Structures are given as C-alpha cells and as structure tokens.
Amino acid sequence: MPDDRPDGESDERRGVSRRAMLSGAAVGAGALAFGLMSATGTASAASLKNGAWRNPAQGYFPTGGHFGADRGGVPHAGQDVTNSTGTAVYAAAGGSAYRVGWGVLSGRTGNGIILFHGNSTYTYYGHLSRFRVSEGSSVSAGEWIGDMGTTGNVTGPHLHFETHRGGLNGVVDPVSFMRARGVDLGGGWPAIDPGASGDVVKVIQYLIRHRGTSLVIDGDYGPVSVSAVKSFQSSKGLYVDGQVGPKTWAKLVATARSGSDGNHVKAAQTALNIRSAGLRIDGDYGSVTVSAIRSFQSVNRLYVDGVCGPVTWQALVG
C-alpha cells in the first residue's frame, strides 16, 4: 500500500525542523500544482470540490496570522483561525491520526495533531487545549478531534492550521488549498460539484426532498441529483450549473426547530453526525436533536438557541 503509508516515516516521526520544513514551501507549492493534475489525470477531469473536505474550525483570521507572515525571519507555515479556548477543532478530511502530542512538529505550537490523508497529504492542528483522538486512530472528515487553546508560543487562543503536499516538507497555503476543495477556511458555505459523494451529499439530497423532489438518499451526487439541484436553482432564479455553492445553500437550507419533522430534520441530523453527534436519522426534531444542536452551537461559539437556522446550517455543512 505505497500510497497509504506516510512517506519517510522513520525520519518524520523524529520531528521536522521548522526551517527545514519551511525551506520546502516553494517546492510544496509546485507539488500542489502537480498534485492537482496527477490526482485527476488532468486539471479538469474531476473536481476537487468533491465533498471530502471540511472546515476545521469556526473563527476569524487574526492580523499577521496568514501563511508566509514573518516569524523572526522564518515565514509562517499555516493559517491562524481565532476563537475562544475550547472551540471545537475538526478533521479537515478523513484519514488517520499520524502524530498526537506536544511538539509533534518541531519548534512550534505546543499540543498538536498531524493527520495523514493518503497520497502524501497531511494536515496539522496546533495550540490545542485538548485531544479527542489518539495517535493511530482513524478519523472521518468533520470529526471532532480536539479543542482550540493556547499551548505553545501564543498571544491568545487560536487554531494554527497547516496543509502539506508531498510529505511533511511540502507546506502550502491552507487558504488556497482548502478553497480549491470547496472549503471557506474559518467559516462560510462550501462548494460541492457534480461527482461528489458522501454524507454532505446526503444532506443535499434530504434538503432537495424537503423541497418536494423525490430522490434516493445514497450520497452520490450523480446525474439524477444534479438534475434535481439544477431544477431547484432554476426555480429560485439562481445560476444553473449544478454546483451547490453559497448562493444555492442559502436558498436550499430550511430552518428546523423543536417540533419540526421531515426531510430537512434528517438533513440536519446527518450534518450533525458529520460533526460527531451520533444521532439516529429519524426526522424528529425532538429533545435529543435539540440538545445536539445546542451542544454544536456552544462548542462553535454560535448563539445557543437549539434552532437550526442559516448561521448554524452554514457551520454544520462548511
């Protein structure tokens, strides 16, 4: 399984020096461009906005926390996302917890988690106050893996998030890396293209069913589901392209609250399960689902009212 083993494991498990890694940033950018081609055959053969990636944390970008910012003569290797201590941190994609602990990338960010996603791709989450996964465990996209904190060298609580291509020397700009995969880092609606699959597609299918269209809930964003989305876009005066992006999501989601039932509730329950809620998908917005929504709102520093409205929906599916 050459594509599913971390590259150079014996060397990388001893830690990667900050300077050594950052010296490969330019190479990493080239590796990213190559990866976009090699992963799909050609750049246009398949979209990277395939539902496989999630926003790792809700928050805002602090001044000077961007990729490449000066850190005493060494460029910043990631993107900071600021929120309060205890804010939930989620796996950006499925994979395995390659390293969990203090100083797992040498020289920075205290408690951290490195996730390995296959194909020489890694993500890193630093300054954590708590771990919710153990080293070696499997993780799914959107799974709650840790809590934001202030460990290491910080001026305040935030997530330090990195993306790596071609191994742990290939740092690339997390904002553009995630945007290419349909994710608005820090918050915002995702973009899901035809050909996508997985639980976020099931959310879309349940929401389309709520709008009166019969669809099989199979997580496959194929021709039948795409046609249904295009019809919905046309009915709402949206650009008809089949991509479920910010404008389509905003029209597609439906507010759910205590006493609601039906497919929009199943959509919310499915989205909550992406974020580790462990709910039964029964379409009943009763006390269990209300409690799960309130917990999600609390750990993501949203207004806690138990109502799945537009702001909560955006955080759930992002």
Side-chain angles (χ1 to χ4, degrees):
M1 300 185 296
D3 288 339
D4 294 323
R5 291 198 301 268
D7 299 300
E9 180 171 357
S10 60
D11 292 332
E12 289 174 358
R13 289 188 64 85
R14 290 195 293 269
V16 179
S17 74
R18 182 178 176 83
R19 263 177 212 284
M21 179 173 8
L22 294 176
S23 68
V27 174
L32 173 61
F34 175 77
L36 299 187
M37 296 289 289
S38 62
T40 60
T42 68
S44 60
S47 172
L48 292 172
K49 299 173 183 177
N50 58 10
W53 291 79
R54 304 280 182 273
N55 183 22
Q58 296 293 310
Y60 65 91
F61 293 173
T63 301
H66 58 277
F67 181 77
D70 181 63
R71 290 290 187 272
V74 177
H76 192 225
Q79 173 64 55
D80 292 341
V81 179
T82 296
N83 214 320
S84 57
T85 295
T87 300
V89 173
Y90 301 100
S96 62
Y98 175 50
R99 295 299 305 275
V100 176
W102 180 275
V104 293
L105 285 180
S106 297
R108 65 191 187 279
T109 66
N111 286 330
I113 297 173
I114 302 172
L115 298 184
F116 175 61
H117 305 291
N119 196 30
S120 301
T121 302
Y122 299 79
T123 51
Y124 172 68
Y125 313 75
H127 300 309
L128 303 179
S129 62
R130 181 178 177 180
F131 302 125
R132 294 182 180 272
V133 293
S134 57
E135 192 167 303
S137 61
S138 296
V139 298
S140 57
E143 181 177 341
W144 190 0
I145 60 171
D147 296 358
M148 200 177 289
T150 57
T151 58
N153 184 18
V154 294
T155 57
H158 67 274
L159 169 68
H160 173 88
F161 178 68
E162 297 181 14
T163 49
H164 298 243
R165 287 282 296 176
L168 281 174
N169 286 325
V171 291
V172 294
D173 184 349
V175 175
S176 56
F177 179 93
M178 296 299 282
R179 184 183 297 121
R181 288 153 179 78
V183 177
D184 183 1
L185 191 58
W189 298 105
I192 306 296
D193 277 346
S197 62
D199 286 339
V200 73
V201 175
K202 291 181 181 180
V203 172
I204 294 167
Q205 290 171 328
Y206 276 126
L207 289 170
I208 287 289
R209 285 186 65 153
H210 174 69
R211 301 295 183 177
T213 300
S214 228
L215 281 177
V216 174
I217 309 300
D218 60 3
D220 175 20
Y221 196 40
V224 175
S225 292
V226 171
S227 178
V229 166
K230 286 182 174 181
S231 293
F232 174 79
Q233 290 172 325
S234 178
S235 73
K236 297 297 182 181
L238 301 171
Y239 183 67
V240 179
D241 61 357
Q243 182 189 85
V244 183
K247 292 182 179 180
T248 298
W249 276 113
K251 296 288 187 181
L252 185 59
V253 297
T255 297
R257 52 175 49 87
S258 182
S260 297
D261 61 67
N263 283 301
H264 66 312
V265 176
K266 291 181 179 180
Q269 291 168 331
T270 301
L272 282 163
N273 285 350
I274 292 172
R275 304 298 187 174
S276 303
L279 295 175
R280 179 183 174 188
I281 310 299
D282 60 5
D284 176 18
Y285 206 86
S287 59
V288 174
T289 299
V290 170
S291 177
I293 283 287
R294 291 179 66 88
S295 294
F296 177 81
Q297 291 169 329
S298 178
V299 300
N300 286 281
R301 305 316 185 228
L302 306 175
Y303 181 67
V304 180
D305 60 2
V307 176
C308 191
V311 174
T312 299
W313 266 117
Q314 183 174 268
L316 275 172
V317 301

